[in-house]
Amino acid sequence: MTRIIVIGLLIIYLSGCNEKIKEERIYWFKNETELTNEFEIDLSKGFILIPIIAEKDTLQFIFDTGVNQILIFPNEQTNKLKYVQGEQLNSKEGVHNIDGRFIHNLNFHFESIRFENASAILTDMQRFPREFSSYIDQMGIDGMIGYDILNDFPIQLNFELGKGIVYKNSKAVDTKSGNTLALSFHDNKPYINCKIKANENSIETIKLQFDLGNLGTLELIPSTITGFDIPENAEKKEGYGISGKYEIFTGITENFLLGDIEIDSIPTAFLPNNIYTESGRNGKIGLEVMKKFNLTIDYPNGRLIIKE
């Protein structure tokens, strides 16, 4: 009898370990006939926070165009999630730039968008810069999401009203007014072309990552921009993000064009060294600049619509 019980328990254990990773599906609810859903956006904690419903709980996720993979931060809320464990990730081994573990078969929804058997990274918070991990813990933030929504569903963000709209498809997007900038992509992250006055006689077109998860204004890599140097009065400091810390100089960019919109005197982080691997990138533009505008982000049609 004892032997039968032991064998039975072993079979249950092994079947649990070998639970299959199911096919991921992201779709608009079949019973939803509306073309749009309105949602609240929360900027009270610095980042753009949106509500994600999982296991009957409302989680707070950072909405970040710079995130190409769903990130889950371990805490009391996210420990309730049901998932299947995948491979371990270690950035020091060059497997991924985030440390943690792949997890699969997650189920949740954002407004009318349902995620079935989604994959994510359960992060190792100890491998983030201490300033970032402490902030996430203090603010009770549960995860980050970006590309997995935007790849199929355009989103409008009205920061002044604290409202957002998610569209079932691009046909419902209002394109009658505003500046339209083309989006290009590298590693599922979006980029836009802007213009900068490099010196008194030169206007240079620069390629910037469109990064709403960056709480700064503008980040430039002078060594990649013809005729552009770090301002003499720039102050040396330390910058950090989810991938680590790096040296920066802070100063002012005097003349900047975002489509047809001219912006003067933007606080800027200048990178003396190019810390990025992708070629052709001259920096990034962050939330502190972009939240002044009404934005419609339309990945399916490769466009960013900006309204003043």
Side-chain angles (χ1 to χ4, degrees):
M1 174 65 81
T2 303
R3 184 178 179 183
I4 293 173
I5 292 173
V6 170
I7 292 173
L9 289 173
L10 180 60
I11 290 171
I12 292 171
Y13 173 78
L14 290 175
S15 63
C17 291
N18 294 325
E19 188 175 348
K20 291 183 179 180
I21 297 173
K22 299 177 182 178
E23 182 180 359
E24 182 177 84
R25 294 183 65 216
I26 303 173
Y27 61 94
W28 197 270
F29 286 6
K30 290 184 178 179
N31 62 344
E32 290 284 347
T33 57
E34 298 121 338
L35 294 177
T36 64
N37 278 168
E38 190 173 284
F39 61 94
E40 302 285 331
I41 56 176
D42 180 4
L43 289 175
S44 64
K45 297 177 181 178
F47 295 100
I48 303 170
L49 297 180
I50 61 172
I52 299 292
I53 309 300
E55 307 295 340
K56 299 182 180 180
D57 288 329
T58 300
L59 305 180
Q60 291 191 102
F61 271 46
I62 295 171
F63 177 75
D64 182 0
T65 54
V67 169
N68 58 3
Q69 175 80 50
I70 299 169
L71 302 183
I72 305 291
F73 302 138
N75 59 34
E76 186 177 347
Q77 286 284 85
T78 58
N79 287 343
K80 300 176 186 177
L81 297 174
K82 299 174 183 177
Y83 54 81
V84 174
Q85 290 192 7
E87 70 173 303
Q88 193 78 29
L89 298 172
N90 189 333
S91 61
K92 293 182 178 180
E93 297 175 355
V95 176
H96 207 281
N97 62 354
I98 299 291
D99 292 297
R101 179 184 293 278
F102 270 123
I103 56 176
H104 309 281
N105 296 5
L106 285 167
N107 294 290
F108 58 90
H109 71 268
F110 167 62
E111 298 302 324
S112 285
I113 304 171
R114 183 180 294 279
F115 291 76
E116 286 187 0
N117 305 317
S119 295
I121 296 174
L122 183 64
T123 60
D124 179 356
M125 299 303 289
Q126 294 182 353
R127 301 293 283 274
F128 287 126
R130 181 175 52 81
E131 296 88 343
F132 178 79
S133 57
S134 297
Y135 185 84
I136 293 298
D137 181 59
Q138 180 184 355
M139 294 298 173
I141 296 171
D142 303 300
M144 301 178 78
I145 194 168
Y147 176 80
D148 293 81
I149 294 175
L150 290 165
N151 186 44
D152 296 304
F153 306 101
I155 280 186
Q156 180 183 339
L157 299 172
N158 187 323
F159 297 106
E160 184 178 1
L161 297 179
K163 300 285 186 181
I165 296 174
V166 57
Y167 295 91
K168 184 176 182 179
N169 53 52
S170 297
K171 296 178 182 179
V173 173
D174 176 17
T175 59
K176 296 179 182 178
S177 59
N179 277 268
T180 299
L181 277 66
L183 289 174
S184 60
F185 298 89
H186 176 84
D187 196 22
N188 294 334
K189 297 180 181 181
Y191 291 79
I192 56 175
N193 286 339
C194 302
K195 292 184 179 180
I196 190 172
K197 189 173 183 179
N199 53 55
E200 292 184 1
N201 303 312
S202 174
I203 301 292
E204 296 291 331
T205 298
I206 57 176
K207 181 180 178 181
L208 302 177
Q209 183 187 344
F210 171 55
D211 187 0
L212 294 184
N214 184 316
L215 300 185
T217 50
L218 189 64
E219 178 184 282
L220 296 178
I221 311 167
S223 62
T224 67
I225 305 170
T226 302
F228 192 83
D229 296 309
I230 296 175
E232 292 182 1
N233 59 352
E235 183 180 354
K236 185 177 180 180
K237 292 186 177 180
E238 185 178 63
Y240 71 89
I242 63 174
S243 298
K245 296 183 179 182
Y246 48 92
E247 183 184 51
I248 63 171
F249 287 81
T250 57
I252 299 295
T253 297
E254 295 296 345
N255 302 105
F256 182 81
L257 278 172
L258 182 64
D260 295 331
I261 302 169
E262 187 171 349
I263 307 173
D264 294 323
S265 302
I266 301 180
T268 304
F270 301 98
L271 274 64
N273 301 304
N274 189 354
I275 62 175
Y276 304 108
T277 56
E278 61 267 35
S279 61
R281 170 180 177 159
N282 306 115
K284 67 171 64 173
I285 188 165
L287 179 60
E288 195 61 29
V289 172
M290 303 308 296
K291 71 180 184 181
K292 299 174 183 177
F293 308 103
N294 187 319
L295 306 176
T296 301
I297 309 164
D298 184 2
Y299 279 22
N301 281 321
R303 61 187 177 181
L304 172 66
I305 303 170
I306 305 173
K307 298 179 183 180
E308 295 187 79

